[in-house]
Amino acid sequence: MSLQTLLEETRAGSSKRIPEEALAVMRAADEELVAKGVGQDALKVGDTLPDATFTSATGDTVQMSSLLANGPLIINFYRGGWCPYCNFELKAYQDLLGDITDLGAQLVAVTPEKPDNSLSTSEKNALTFPVLTDNENAFAKALGIAFELPKPLQDLYGKFGMDLPGLNAGSGWSLPIPATYVVDANGKIVLADVDVNYTRRLEPSDALAALKASVAA
């Protein structure tokens, strides 16, 4: 089963469980983000990644420049371990990790979650690739993929018990658009998938294909 098929099934199941009034708030928030053009100014193919500083799930400091010194990267942004769509995506990338490393590349996930929470996400999904905390969503902002949840959605998430300011490392109600970037060892973007609709994700096999093409070039 493809990742997108799995996500569509998840969305259909959620639509049956979530009350209609809550779904209406969520749909309105999605429409607001599209109307505002969130993500339209994101870095794209041909652009170069800025350097950034992250915190690993075990509390170590990690530099983007240090990661790139070891070869190409697939970078996957996820909203948090509370997001079922993100968890399915992370697991799908884990399944391709061997293929990625065989190409001399690395796979990393980037999240606004605090390190303790990113460690829980990593353990829950049995991930063996780095999960990095983007403090204050700084890297996501630099890439143009950070956004503030609309206030009605903040209130709804609060009712669901999802305290994002408490879960995240200084980013409050700001989240990254779930995005995937493939970059060469020089930090040049060779694939950029940015979709404000969090229920849609790039197939990991497509990211792998872009990586193979870049390595072969």
Side-chain angles (χ1 to χ4, degrees):
M1 180 185 298
S2 70
L3 173 61
Q4 189 54 46
T5 298
L6 180 58
L7 298 184
E8 288 171 357
E9 291 181 354
T10 301
R11 180 175 58 189
S14 295
S15 296
K16 294 178 181 178
R17 294 192 309 271
I18 298 174
E20 179 55 38
E21 57 270 24
L23 288 174
V25 171
M26 296 166 75
R27 285 194 291 265
D30 291 344
E31 292 169 0
E32 179 180 336
L33 295 176
V34 171
K36 288 182 175 180
V38 171
Q40 289 186 0
D41 295 327
L43 293 192
K44 58 189 182 301
V45 172
D47 290 335
T48 299
L49 288 185
D51 200 5
T53 303
F54 308 100
T55 305
S56 75
T58 54
D60 297 321
T61 298
V62 178
Q63 290 291 135
M64 175 57 68
S65 54
S66 298
L67 293 171
L68 288 170
N70 294 316
L73 287 172
I74 294 180
I75 306 169
N76 178 250
F77 285 84
Y78 76 93
R79 305 192 301 165
W82 48 268
C83 171
Y85 302 93
C86 297
N87 288 316
F88 283 129
E89 184 180 30
L90 290 170
K91 290 176 183 176
Y93 274 102
Q94 175 64 41
D95 290 342
L96 291 182
L97 182 59
D99 295 315
I100 294 168
T101 57
D102 284 348
L103 291 167
Q106 300 175 84
L107 168 65
V108 297
V110 176
T111 179
E113 288 188 308
K114 293 176 180 177
D116 284 350
N117 295 323
S118 67
L119 179 59
S120 297
T121 299
S122 182
E123 292 174 341
K124 175 176 65 177
N125 294 302
L127 306 180
T128 58
F129 56 88
V131 178
L132 306 176
T133 294
D134 183 14
N135 298 287
E136 299 182 357
N137 240 5
F139 188 51
K141 290 175 182 176
L143 268 61
I145 62 170
F147 69 97
E148 186 86 3
L149 281 182
K151 187 60 168 62
L153 196 55
Q154 294 180 24
D155 295 339
L156 180 63
Y157 277 21
K159 290 178 182 178
F160 287 164
M162 293 159 54
D163 175 24
L164 297 194
L167 294 172
N168 293 342
S171 61
W173 289 98
S174 174
L175 290 174
I177 297 171
T180 299
Y181 284 90
V182 179
V183 299
D184 66 18
N186 296 315
K188 182 179 178 180
I189 298 170
V190 299
L191 179 147
D193 183 80
V194 179
D195 192 333
V196 73
N197 183 340
Y198 63 87
T199 70
R200 289 200 299 259
R201 308 293 170 96
L202 178 74
E203 288 293 335
S205 57
D206 291 339
L208 180 62
L211 176 64
K212 286 181 178 177
S214 175
V215 170

